[in-house]
Amino acid sequence: MVWSWVAMASRWGPLVGLAPRCLWLLGAVLLMDASARPANHSSTRERAANREENEILPPDHLNGVKLEMDGHLNRGFHQEVFLGKDLGGFDEDVEPRRSRRKLMVIFSKVDVNTDRKISAKEMQRWIMEKTAEHFQEAMEESKTHFRAVDPDGDGHVSWDEYKVKFLASKGHSEKEVANAIRLNEELKVDEETQEVLENLKDRWYQADSPPADLLLTEEEFLSFLHPEHSRGMLRFMVKEIVRDLDQDGDKQLSLPEFVSLPVGTVENQQGQDIDDNWVKDRKKEFEELIDSNHDGIVTAEELESYMDPMNEYNALNEAKQMIAVADENQNHHLEPEEVLKYSEFFTGSKLVDYARSVHEEF
């Protein structure tokens, strides 16, 4: 064995001597190539701009609210109101046993009277508690974002101050935009950005509580970013959704209008299945939860009541619906085995071996 290595070393000896020189040449080539190319900082700048834009733009998704800003159903709603701040704590790569134990800890917190069953009233209380957690998170985030757009720290943000920060996040020079606004000069922005600005300005005016002064306080800015925090802004959000879905101009929604497919054509069977599910899910939501008087028409008032995250009556309806999904023994309560079996509905993750481990987790 030793001889084989010695023989190999003697055979390759001349080539081994070339190795340092080859490595030196390779390093020189790489160095020349690197110096010939400009440093690529664009991705870093883009990430910074995207982060800044996301901080000052109203989010499309609102945790604990039934509909998205565009009128789509919030697919993660049940997980949001069941997990609260623990949302995202049940990732697929987390060890299943630990996730099951965590889910059972939540079960025991919901089960106030410790009878190993969750009633609709217990679930209602829990939903309200978790929704309040999302409210608190939104308030804390809004405070941070408010400081970012209030450069002089006077506790008020004008529309012009906000517009400067927004256009700066889009790549415009903050100094040039500020000067153009100060001199009342026309801003050169693309059509898409102009449309976004106009929509934001409408929303800004709505968030400005009477008497209107076009200056938003910290509380008003919270309503601007999160309409669920203000009755007036929630009403404005509902009005926008009705406007987008209302096809006959009567300012209310029929079932065909609410379930109408988004713009686009079905190109394959997979797309057809997605569209079929879209119609099925929205029909169920319309008939069972939104149309409270079951007259086949949803008014703006009904939609507002449905979307109000702090509506206790809605929370009770949601609690009953969530229980019905997993209530296999039809006793109108949730039991540990049922929650573990339907863990994907409650947490977004499927936890295997639920039945075998339920007693062990308790």
Side-chain angles (χ1 to χ4, degrees):
M1 185 69 177
V2 173
W3 277 106
S4 64
W5 280 107
V6 172
M8 189 179 296
S10 62
R11 192 181 311 132
W12 292 97
L15 292 177
V16 170
L18 291 174
R21 277 173 285 175
C22 292
L23 288 172
W24 183 88
L25 284 170
L26 178 61
V29 169
L30 290 173
L31 185 61
M32 289 171 61
D33 183 52
S35 61
R37 292 194 309 266
N40 181 14
H41 299 301
S42 61
S43 59
T44 305
R45 284 198 300 269
E46 286 170 7
R47 283 196 298 270
N50 288 338
R51 183 171 64 251
E52 187 177 353
E53 182 181 353
N54 289 337
E55 285 177 352
I56 63 175
L57 270 179
D60 292 326
H61 174 79
L62 304 170
N63 283 339
V65 179
K66 292 285 291 184
L67 293 183
E68 307 287 11
M69 296 292 287
D70 59 6
H72 289 212
L73 295 180
N74 177 2
R75 296 291 178 187
F77 175 78
H78 296 113
Q79 294 153 27
E80 291 166 6
V81 296
F82 186 73
L83 298 177
K85 289 189 296 187
D86 285 328
L87 190 64
F90 287 84
D91 297 330
E92 294 291 348
D93 56 348
V94 176
E95 202 274 314
R97 180 187 174 90
R98 188 168 55 188
S99 293
R100 290 195 300 268
R101 183 165 296 170
K102 193 172 183 179
L103 183 55
M104 287 298 95
V105 168
I106 293 175
F107 182 98
S108 64
K109 289 179 180 178
V110 185
D111 179 24
V112 177
N113 64 3
T114 65
D115 64 351
R116 288 172 60 88
K117 292 183 294 187
I118 294 175
S119 67
K121 279 290 185 182
E122 286 173 324
M123 184 66 87
Q124 177 197 29
R125 180 198 62 83
W126 183 256
I127 288 173
M128 296 298 293
E129 187 177 313
K130 297 296 110 178
T131 301
E133 286 183 4
H134 290 306
F135 264 52
Q136 187 61 37
E137 283 182 332
M139 289 171 66
E140 290 168 3
E141 288 174 5
S142 180
K143 284 182 181 179
T144 303
H145 301 164
F146 183 80
R147 287 194 291 269
V149 295
D150 181 23
D152 53 15
D154 64 353
H156 295 83
V157 179
S158 70
W159 167 247
D160 286 342
E161 283 178 325
Y162 179 81
K163 186 161 62 171
V164 168
K165 291 293 184 181
F166 170 72
L167 290 175
S169 75
K170 287 288 190 180
H172 295 263
S173 165
E174 188 169 326
K175 186 176 180 181
E176 289 177 7
V177 172
N179 284 336
I181 291 175
R182 183 172 54 83
L183 299 172
N184 203 25
E185 295 176 351
E186 185 179 352
L187 293 169
K188 295 179 180 179
V189 297
D190 59 71
E191 190 175 333
E192 182 183 349
T193 301
Q194 184 60 41
E195 185 179 349
V196 172
L197 269 174
E198 289 171 1
N199 290 334
L200 287 172
K201 192 172 184 179
D202 286 343
R203 186 168 177 152
W204 189 273
Y205 286 175
Q206 290 294 326
D208 186 15
S209 302
D213 55 8
L214 298 187
L215 297 172
L216 297 193
T217 62
E218 189 174 305
E219 185 178 349
E220 289 169 335
F221 188 73
L222 170 65
S223 298
F224 171 73
L225 291 181
H226 288 271
E228 75 276 20
H229 285 252
S230 157
R231 175 62 61 186
M233 284 301 289
L234 182 64
R235 193 168 294 133
F236 175 72
M237 180 179 172
V238 167
K239 182 180 175 183
E240 294 283 288
I241 291 174
V242 171
R243 184 197 65 189
D244 292 342
L245 299 180
D246 178 21
Q247 297 171 9
D248 58 14
D250 63 354
K251 298 184 179 179
Q252 51 190 11
L253 300 177
S254 64
L255 178 60
E257 287 173 331
F258 189 75
V259 304
S260 60
L261 300 175
V263 176
T265 55
V266 179
E267 297 179 354
N268 52 41
Q269 185 57 47
Q270 184 180 8
Q272 183 64 58
D273 291 342
I274 292 172
D275 287 343
D276 288 345
N277 288 333
W278 166 278
V279 172
K280 178 183 174 184
D281 293 345
R282 290 178 75 83
K283 184 175 185 292
K284 186 174 187 290
E285 202 76 8
F286 184 99
E287 293 177 339
E288 295 183 9
L289 293 173
I290 309 178
D291 182 15
S292 56
N293 62 1
H294 305 291
D295 65 350
I297 294 292
V298 165
T299 63
E301 291 74 19
E302 285 176 315
L303 191 58
E304 181 184 334
S305 175
Y306 162 79
M307 289 182 61
D308 181 2
M310 298 308 289
N311 184 320
E312 293 189 10
Y313 178 74
N314 282 350
L316 182 59
N317 281 339
E318 290 298 335
K320 291 175 180 177
Q321 187 183 58
M322 290 169 71
I323 289 173
V325 167
D327 184 19
E328 289 197 338
N329 62 9
Q330 300 294 302
N331 67 348
H332 305 293
H333 288 73
L334 282 180
E335 296 174 9
E337 294 87 348
E338 293 168 335
V339 172
L340 284 167
K341 184 171 182 177
Y342 289 85
S343 60
E344 192 167 7
F345 173 77
F346 293 104
T347 70
S349 296
K350 197 169 185 177
L351 311 180
V352 295
D353 298 332
Y354 58 89
R356 188 180 64 188
S357 60
V358 61
H359 298 295
E360 183 181 327
E361 303 303 348
F362 260 95

